[in-house]
Amino acid sequence: MSAVALIAGDAHPQLAREIARSMGTSLVPASVSAFADGETRVRIEAEVRDADLYIVQPTSVPTNERLMTLALLADAARAAGAARITAVMPYFGYARQDVRKSPGEPRSAQLAGRILRCAGVERMVALELHSPALESAFEMPLIHLRADDLMLPAIRDCGFSRLTVVSPDAGGLKRAQRYAQALAAPLAVVAKTRPRADAAVVQQVLGDVRGRACLIVDDMASTGGTIVGAAQALLEAGAAAVHALFIHAVMAPGALERIGAASVRTIMTTDSVRIAIDPRVRIVPIAPLLAQTLGRLTGRSTLRTEVTDVQES
Ligand code: R5P
């Protein structure tokens, strides 16, 4: 069997270190820098010939740079003779334009996958992709992880009573439905439209939320507009309290303040992208889930219990 090698890109080295530590291994040294004109320059600084190689790089802000760095690291690994290259992208950027909604639009998610495949990536590991349709969008095997087993205990720890799980839009309904089922809570949905990119307008709250503790469940918060709009609509509809859970804290500048100002009492997320510690936010670490997953893929057991929610497509 090939030796296992883990490389950290520049997006989230701390996460890569924690995965390596959980797997009882160390990171292969690699450097990412820039030429004076801004071009990214990478170098893998150890032997990776015949390695079963994993590059940890969520493609978070700045998305273009992170994606390019990942592609360059994959190309460097391929040139150095790695046996197989897997991109570990707990947050997959460019997932939001995966279907052409109107003429003239690209399919950005598929293109990002093709760029990576072209660079030598043969397999991807991702957490909570924006849309389930993306599971069959890439021309390579995908291991798509769900965060449910991490988030559900964190929700239960909060001890919410009279809980209703809320999807802040129709697109997130299936995810919210899973959480509602697991928590034996009713489900509500906010009907939202997007008049333009990065703007969310709430139309209606569907479901009974009066007097309930409403937990909004979403895949990501970027501007925070979706959560803010949903929170305002829920409170206007008589919700007793609003809490928010999103898997990927993409967080454009000012997003946390906007969410806080909308009377959202609890904010729960993961560290799938680099996120600053903030007393207002409960961060659930994902390194154990990724370490277990890579442990399974590489045939190396890790210290933690089995992951059940791994689907390879
Ligand atoms: C949209 O379809 C997604 O599921 C999220 O609701 C959205 O991307 C969040 O973005 P923002 O925080 O900018 O509203």
Side-chain angles (χ1 to χ4, degrees):
M1 192 200 303
S2 316
V4 174
L6 239 73
I7 289 184
D10 58 347
H12 202 341
Q14 192 191 335
L15 176 64
R17 277 195 295 275
E18 283 162 16
I19 297 170
R21 196 171 47 233
S22 299
M23 293 180 72
T25 185
S26 49
L27 292 171
V28 169
S31 62
V32 179
S33 56
F35 289 103
D37 64 353
E39 256 180 37
T40 303
R41 178 177 189 273
V42 309
R43 190 176 148 82
I44 298 174
E45 290 162 351
E47 181 63 62
V48 292
R49 180 161 301 284
D50 297 327
D52 182 13
L53 190 106
Y54 296 79
I55 306 171
V56 181
Q57 175 86 333
T59 45
S60 45
V61 181
T63 308
N64 296 346
E65 277 79 354
R66 302 306 190 207
L67 181 67
M68 189 64 193
T69 301
L70 175 55
L72 289 169
L73 284 167
D75 187 67
R78 181 172 57 179
R84 179 173 54 186
I85 302 166
T86 303
V88 182
M89 308 169 72
Y91 171 68
F92 179 87
Y94 277 116
R96 284 178 286 183
Q97 258 192 319
D98 60 325
V99 288
R100 284 194 190 102
K101 291 192 179 132
S102 56
E105 292 188 354
R107 291 190 305 155
S108 313
Q110 288 82 343
L111 176 63
R114 281 204 303 280
I115 290 170
L116 295 177
R117 193 169 65 88
C118 198
V121 173
E122 290 157 80
R123 196 164 62 162
M124 277 171 41
V125 175
L127 175 71
E128 293 279 353
L129 286 166
H130 173 61
S131 133
L134 280 172
E135 283 181 356
S136 50
F138 304 112
E139 296 159 14
M140 66 177 103
L142 164 75
I143 294 95
H144 186 200
L145 303 172
R146 285 181 181 162
D148 305 22
D149 289 350
L150 298 174
M151 302 314 281
L152 287 167
I155 298 169
R156 291 192 181 102
D157 276 357
C158 292
F160 301 129
S161 61
R162 294 178 57 74
L163 182 69
T164 293
V165 175
V166 180
S167 175
D169 53 31
L173 196 51
K174 282 214 163 119
R175 181 179 302 105
Q177 205 169 18
R178 281 197 327 257
Y179 280 77
Q181 245 161 29
L183 295 161
L187 178 69
V189 61
V190 175
K192 160 188 114 176
T193 56
R194 276 205 185 280
R196 59 185 183 283
D198 285 338
V201 178
V202 169
Q203 306 285 321
Q204 211 181 345
V205 175
L206 305 170
D208 187 13
V209 298
R210 184 161 298 281
R212 310 284 302 180
C214 291
L215 174 66
I216 301 169
V217 173
D218 206 356
D219 61 327
M220 70 171 94
S222 174
T223 63
T226 298
I227 287 175
V228 168
Q232 286 166 348
L234 291 165
L235 290 169
E236 277 164 26
V242 177
H243 311 278
L245 177 161
F246 42 89
I247 310 299
H248 307 296
V250 176
M251 303 306 238
L256 186 56
E257 287 63 35
R258 273 192 287 279
I259 295 172
S263 307
V264 175
R265 291 204 196 160
T266 314
I267 303 174
M268 264 181 273
T269 188
T270 74
D271 57 354
S272 65
V273 302
R274 205 167 358 175
I275 173 170
I277 306 264
D278 187 298
R280 291 169 289 180
V281 184
R282 288 176 193 223
I283 302 172
V284 178
I286 61 162
L289 172 66
L290 290 171
Q292 284 171 49
T293 305
L294 300 199
R296 273 178 58 161
L297 294 175
T298 60
R300 282 179 165 216
S301 60
T302 57
L303 297 176
R304 312 269 305 207
T305 49
E306 270 288 279
V307 177
T308 51
D309 213 358
V310 180
Q311 310 155 7
E312 186 153 1
S313 57

